[in-house]
């Protein structure tokens, strides 16, 4: 069977996408794009894509490279325009998180996918971990029951990505740790909860540490360094979301998603301050309280890149859809709006 021809835009995180596709027997990476010619050359040599498959202009790559699908892994501001342009060319798209810098853009991306009848997947890569897949299985099996409360968190002691670069400039990023880290933990919680409909959000943002660091280092920084929000859903549950790049806490990197139901509770958290994850479930059986820990998952846990390729080959929706990305964006935008106005944001049903 012919392999899917994949292109990747953006040679930072995009290099992880390339490795993900190269690990799949049904796909091959035939084209790369980056506006930075030096970065493009280095990446091309590293992953074995010859000069003829390297582009500094995404539009030219869409026209000339004969692609089936493309990854968009560039600064957030360019997610919507590049995704829409690729969909209009008939390509399936795996777009990095956050889906866009506004709800409006996310809606336009979904409309373009619908019109083109192509898959639009958002790279909510933290779902694609053994711990998350195992917990989803527990939820599906009814072990947790009705989830009514949760807390989902990613805090760093000091960890501003590319300090002074685009991540800290609202014009290019659309926001700070809320859209960079919080987006992953929010998606994970919503996925485990079955993507309930948000009805109201209130939030706060702070800039207590990063701006001082930026002034001292003469770097640009105009986003928050901590954001938090409280989300209420139509079917009753409440979720608290917290994210920061700089916080005076003990751990270097602290991630936890805890969801509580009427039959059991679950926790997905990082261990050892890194990107390894533990899954635990807490239940009551016959009046006794139990704690279960995941040792090893035996079922398959695809990478997000494998899932994207499989969804195209199997002609089905991907696991992380643009519609889900839009719901995530609505909550993120709501938190910023609430923080700016000091009022709760309510969503029309
Ligand atoms: N899923 C994850 O876990 C994860 C991890 C890291 C980054 N990301 C996301 O990936 C995206 C990229 O982040 P990064 O860390 O790789 O940033 P980066 O700055 O390291 O890399 C971005 C690259 O895009 C290139 N670029 C910029 N505009 C372009 C354009 N119009 N056309 C072609 N190339 C362009 C830049 O030259 C740069 O090489 C962001 O949306 C970020 O949120 C996701």
């Amino acid at each position: 069977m012919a392999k899917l021809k994949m292109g990747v835009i953006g040679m930072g995180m995009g290099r992880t996408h390339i490795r993900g596709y190269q690990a799949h027997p049904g796909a091959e990476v035939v084209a790369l794009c980056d506006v930075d010619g030096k970065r493009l050359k280095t990446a091309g040599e590293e992953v074995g894509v010859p000069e003829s498959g390297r582009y500094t202009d995404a539009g030219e790559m869409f026209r000339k490279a004969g692609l089936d699908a493309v990854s968009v892994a560039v600064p957030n501001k360019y997610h919507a325009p590049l995704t829409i342009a690729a969909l209009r060319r008939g390509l399936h798209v795996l777009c990095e998180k956050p889906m866009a810098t506004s709800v409006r853009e996310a809606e336009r991306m979904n409309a373009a996918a619908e019109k083109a009848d192509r898959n639009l997947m958002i790279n909510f890569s933290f779902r694609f971990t053994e711990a998350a897949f195992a917990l989803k299985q527990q939820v599906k099996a009814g072990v947790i029951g009705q989830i009514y409360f949760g807390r989902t968190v990613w805090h760093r002691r000091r960890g501003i990505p590319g300090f002074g670069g685009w991540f800290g400039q609202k014009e290019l990023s659309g926001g700070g740790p809320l859209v960079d880290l919080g987006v992953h933990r929010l998606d994970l919680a919503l996925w485990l909860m079955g993507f309930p409909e948000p009805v109201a959000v209130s939030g706060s943002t702070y800039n207590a540490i990063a701006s001082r660091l930026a002034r001292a280092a003469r770097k640009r920084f105009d986003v928050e360094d901590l954001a938090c929000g409280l989300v209420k859903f139509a079917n009753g549950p409440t979720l608290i979301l917290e994210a920061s790049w700089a916080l005076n806490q003990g751990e270097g990197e602290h991630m936890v998603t805890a969801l509580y139901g009427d039959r059991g509770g679950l926790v997905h958290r990082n261990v050892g301050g890194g990107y390894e994850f533990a899954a635990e479930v807490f239940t009551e059986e016959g009046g006794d309280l139990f704690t279960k820990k995941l040792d090893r998952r035996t079922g398959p846990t695809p990478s997000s890149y494998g899932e994207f390729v499989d969804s195209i080959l199997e002609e089905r929706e991907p696991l992380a859809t643009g519609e889900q990305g839009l719901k995530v964006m609505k909550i993120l935008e709501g938190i910023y709006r609430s923080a700016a106005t000091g009022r709760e944001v309510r969503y029309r049903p």
Side-chain angles (χ1 to χ4, degrees):
M1 203 177 67
K3 292 185 178 196
L4 286 182
K5 294 198 181 328
M6 316 297 291
V8 176
I9 315 173
M11 293 300 111
M13 181 61 189
R15 298 202 311 274
T16 304
H17 292 231
I18 297 168
R19 285 194 292 277
Y21 296 139
Q22 288 180 333
H24 195 296
E28 60 179 330
V29 178
V30 297
L32 307 179
C33 173
D34 199 296
V35 288
D36 178 338
K38 238 170 105 181
R39 225 174 173 192
L40 180 65
K41 182 170 185 284
T42 309
E45 286 167 358
E46 186 184 295
V47 301
V49 172
E51 221 177 317
S52 59
R54 300 180 203 156
Y55 299 84
T56 51
D57 178 73
E60 192 186 341
M61 180 175 85
F62 298 155
R63 285 194 303 278
K64 295 187 178 164
L67 299 175
D68 295 299
V70 71
S71 272
V72 173
V74 294
N76 307 341
K77 178 183 177 168
Y78 307 113
H79 288 185
L82 289 177
T83 295
I84 292 168
L87 288 164
R88 284 187 181 154
R89 281 263 154 203
L91 308 185
H92 302 276
V93 178
L94 173 58
C95 179
E96 264 304 340
K97 48 47 67 171
M99 179 172 179
T101 57
S102 69
V103 167
R104 180 89 194 85
E105 284 179 350
E107 285 170 343
R108 288 182 48 230
M109 292 160 79
N110 284 337
E114 174 86 34
K115 191 165 176 206
D117 193 21
R118 290 294 182 270
N119 282 1
L120 169 57
M121 177 168 161
I122 312 303
N123 197 21
F124 291 127
S125 47
F126 282 65
R127 279 195 217 176
F128 298 85
T129 57
E130 282 197 350
F133 266 54
L135 288 172
K136 183 71 180 174
Q137 200 51 46
Q138 294 288 302
V139 172
K140 276 189 191 157
V143 176
I144 309 302
Q146 181 63 43
I147 294 168
Y148 57 92
F149 177 64
R151 207 171 143 250
T152 195
V153 173
W154 189 341
H155 289 309
R156 287 182 180 157
R157 186 167 188 170
R158 296 288 184 273
I160 304 165
F163 192 36
W166 69 266
F167 277 96
Q169 295 175 35
K170 193 166 173 53
E171 219 272 301
L172 294 168
S173 63
L178 182 65
V179 302
D180 182 44
L181 308 181
V183 66
H184 277 302
R185 301 313 298 188
L186 174 60
D187 170 72
L188 183 59
L190 292 179
W191 181 56
L192 291 167
M193 293 168 81
F195 271 92
E197 206 54 53
V199 288
V201 170
S202 53
S204 305
T205 57
Y206 296 92
N207 201 332
I209 296 169
S211 270
R212 173 171 52 78
L213 299 178
R215 268 196 307 277
R218 294 177 189 277
K219 307 263 192 201
R220 273 187 72 178
F221 190 88
D222 64 2
V223 294
E224 83 281 0
D225 65 16
L226 180 140
C228 58
L230 185 135
V231 192
K232 291 183 184 177
F233 298 93
N235 57 337
T238 300
L239 179 70
I240 293 169
L241 167 64
E242 303 172 24
S244 67
W245 281 335
L247 183 68
N248 291 323
Q249 65 172 11
E251 306 93 329
E253 192 114 41
H254 171 64
M255 301 177 216
V256 63
T257 298
L259 299 175
Y260 304 99
D262 54 6
R263 295 172 62 89
L266 67 81
V267 168
H268 177 284
R269 61 180 170 79
N270 71 325
V271 285
Y275 289 65
E276 295 285 317
F277 297 98
E280 285 174 309
V281 167
F282 314 100
T283 57
E284 180 191 320
E285 284 160 47
D288 298 327
L289 302 183
F290 283 89
T291 299
K292 284 197 287 193
K293 286 191 177 131
L294 175 73
D295 279 331
R296 186 164 45 89
R297 219 182 103 78
T298 49
T301 306
S303 72
S304 52
Y305 317 102
E307 162 62 11
F308 179 52
V309 171
D310 285 343
S311 73
I312 300 168
L313 292 174
E314 293 164 15
E315 297 183 24
R316 60 167 173 82
E317 254 197 356
L319 191 58
T321 63
E323 288 305 325
Q324 293 170 345
L326 171 63
K327 213 174 251 187
V328 169
M329 277 310 303
K330 274 188 183 164
I331 293 172
L332 299 177
E333 200 174 88
I335 290 174
Y336 283 134
R337 199 165 330 130
S338 169
T341 60
R343 307 167 88 111
E344 184 180 72
V345 170
R346 298 192 73 84
Y347 299 100
R348 265 180 268 130

